[in-house]
Amino acid sequence: MPTPHPHSRRFAWASRNFRIQTAATVISGLGNAGAPIATAFAVLGNGGTTAEVGYVTAARLLPTVLLLLVGGALADRMPRHLIMVAANLFSGVSQAVLAALVLTGDIKLWQMLVLSAAGGAGYALYSPASGGMIMQAVPQEHAARAFAVFRMGLNASQIGGAALGGALTAAVGPGWVLALDALCFLIAAALRFFLEPERAPSPSGGGMLRDLREGWREVVARRWLWVIVLQFSVLVACVNAVESVYGPAVADARLGGAGAWGLAMAAYGVGLVATGALMARWRPRRILLIGNWGVFLFGVPALALAAEVPLPLLVVAMFLSGVGVTVFGVNWMVALQQEIPEEMFSRVTAYDELGSYSLAPVGTALAGPAAVALGMSGALWACAVVCLVLSAVVLLDPQVRRLSRRSTTDAPVPVTEPAPTP
């Protein structure tokens, strides 16, 4: 009998669904990394203002917030791979239309708003299904390694996508970057068509509202979960304002334009990937305590931009931010897979994202007016301080500090806190 290749044994935990989903995520991530840069400079190149960049970004986030719960409930009721295919096709078509309008040079602000909103709707349907699928495809004993590898693949695409997006935007214009994003969505949809449900979702006998109430009870019964979701509701608003509005505006004004901001975003991607290799091997016991130390690094880019550092130091700041995102992200995925029942994965993921993104549309829409009222430097200092303060406050909660990694032989920890009915 032939001996299995060493690499085959090493990656025996990587199921077929895990490999396909990771590959599709890398491909769609490649286009998505360049699309925000292209969209921002499409608005600016069309005579738009910093405030209008914020409005277009908010238009994408608003339907995401409104439809995430619907996406979560559907993903725990229907085959997750089919939901992802449909969402990717929808996003690919909407981005193709946006690309065509930008390339013709005759696009209006309202068209950008509508098409950005369409992209947000596609993401709202895709994301809970994706989160449920990847957690279902990974054995718990290999969770940290698998989630680190998954995020390394996704994050590696951020490096190439951001650098390529910035370079193409500067060289041939934003329309071609948006066209590339559309193509990546369509390829990802084709790959995800071949995913197979490993275990069929088991919804309750009630309707969608009952499913959502059950998901809500899972969330509010775990203080560590909703405390961090509340933290991220404000944190994500600040980070999005910096990355989607203030960063491109500062790069356009004094750092050399789209290419410079693409380089900064690529450095962020390098931080993500480099730390993924560490997290594939590191198994910290206090998973949320260590994860939240990474959150302290989220505000470093705002500090760098506020201090008007030169481009090389901004690149370092973006790298450190990427390190923090991976340290938190891997530990957060381990915590969710460990503590949340499998049949609730997508619904809890939806509530997680809903809470985390709930204030993002407001934050990005107000980013321009805030820069006018406080000055660009004042708005950036405010974002940096908020990120640092929130990172410290969350560590006051004992559940966040004490939640520990369990071995696969440990019994699940029962939920003992009351779960109020909404």
Side-chain angles (χ1 to χ4, degrees):
M1 181 175 180
T3 302
H5 192 279
H7 290 294
S8 300
R9 293 195 300 268
R10 185 183 304 172
F11 295 102
W13 50 267
S15 67
R16 179 175 181 272
N17 270 5
F18 178 84
R19 295 193 300 270
I20 293 175
Q21 176 66 351
T22 300
T25 300
V26 168
I27 291 170
S28 59
L30 182 68
N32 285 337
I37 300 172
T39 301
F41 283 95
V43 175
L44 295 172
N46 202 43
T49 64
T50 301
E52 289 176 347
V53 173
Y55 299 150
V56 171
T57 304
R60 178 179 176 84
L61 293 172
L62 184 59
T64 298
V65 170
L66 294 177
L67 296 176
L68 267 172
L69 293 185
V70 175
L74 288 175
D76 279 337
R77 280 180 163 264
M78 300 171 59
R80 289 171 177 145
H81 71 296
L82 295 181
I83 293 175
M84 288 189 287
V85 168
N88 284 171
L89 289 173
F90 180 76
S91 296
V93 171
S94 67
Q95 284 294 81
V97 173
L98 178 59
L101 290 173
V102 171
L103 287 170
T104 63
D106 188 29
I107 188 168
K108 307 294 190 296
L109 178 61
W110 71 265
Q111 294 171 322
M112 287 188 174
L113 294 172
V114 170
L115 290 168
S116 291
Y123 178 82
L125 297 178
Y126 159 80
S127 185
S130 174
M133 172 66 75
I134 202 68
M135 284 194 283
Q136 190 183 49
V138 171
Q140 186 177 329
E141 63 269 25
H142 297 294
R145 180 187 302 172
F147 295 148
V149 169
F150 175 76
R151 293 183 70 92
M152 283 174 66
L154 172 62
N155 298 336
S157 68
Q158 298 289 324
I159 301 174
L164 182 62
L168 283 178
T169 298
V172 297
W176 290 109
V177 180
L178 295 170
L180 175 63
D181 189 28
L183 177 62
C184 289
F185 271 124
L186 297 178
I187 295 173
L191 284 174
R192 289 184 170 114
F193 181 79
F194 296 100
L195 287 167
E196 297 177 356
E198 293 184 345
R199 288 175 294 275
S202 302
S204 65
M208 185 178 293
L209 289 178
R210 179 174 176 177
D211 289 351
L212 291 176
R213 285 196 297 270
E214 290 178 351
W216 173 254
R217 285 195 290 269
E218 290 292 330
V219 172
V220 298
R222 295 167 171 82
R223 193 174 67 238
W224 59 267
L225 199 162
W226 61 257
V227 162
I228 289 181
V229 170
L230 282 177
Q231 172 199 27
F232 268 69
S233 67
V234 179
L235 195 74
V236 169
C238 291
V239 171
N240 273 6
V242 172
E243 292 186 356
S244 300
V245 182
Y246 298 147
V250 171
D252 192 49
R254 68 173 184 85
L255 294 176
W261 187 241
L263 178 62
M265 292 300 294
Y268 169 79
V270 172
L272 294 169
V273 174
T275 314
L278 168 67
M279 295 307 298
R281 294 171 174 79
W282 186 26
R283 294 170 55 86
R285 182 70 176 170
R286 299 290 179 90
I287 44 183
L288 293 185
L289 175 64
I290 296 300
N292 200 70
W293 283 116
V295 178
F296 277 96
L297 298 176
F298 286 23
V300 174
L303 282 173
L305 289 166
E308 298 186 356
V309 301
L311 181 59
L313 289 181
L314 176 61
V315 167
V316 173
M318 294 297 290
F319 173 83
L320 292 175
S321 180
V323 169
V325 169
T326 296
V327 170
F328 172 80
V330 171
N331 283 294
W332 182 244
M333 292 180 76
V334 170
L336 290 179
Q337 192 211 38
Q338 172 180 290
E339 301 294 327
I340 304 301
E342 181 180 305
E343 67 273 12
M344 296 283 182
F345 279 167
S346 290
R347 276 169 282 178
V348 171
T349 297
Y351 276 111
D352 172 20
E353 289 204 62
L354 173 64
S356 298
Y357 285 106
S358 59
L359 296 180
V362 177
T364 51
L366 294 179
V372 172
L374 303 175
M376 181 65 75
S377 179
L380 284 164
W381 280 116
C383 287
V385 170
V386 167
C387 289
L388 294 174
V389 169
L390 285 174
S391 302
V393 168
V394 164
L395 290 178
L396 297 176
D397 183 79
Q399 286 192 9
V400 172
R401 296 196 308 271
R402 296 171 186 168
L403 185 69
S404 298
R405 183 190 305 271
R406 297 198 307 269
S407 70
T408 55
T409 58
D410 292 338
V413 177
V415 176
T416 57
E417 296 187 31
T421 302

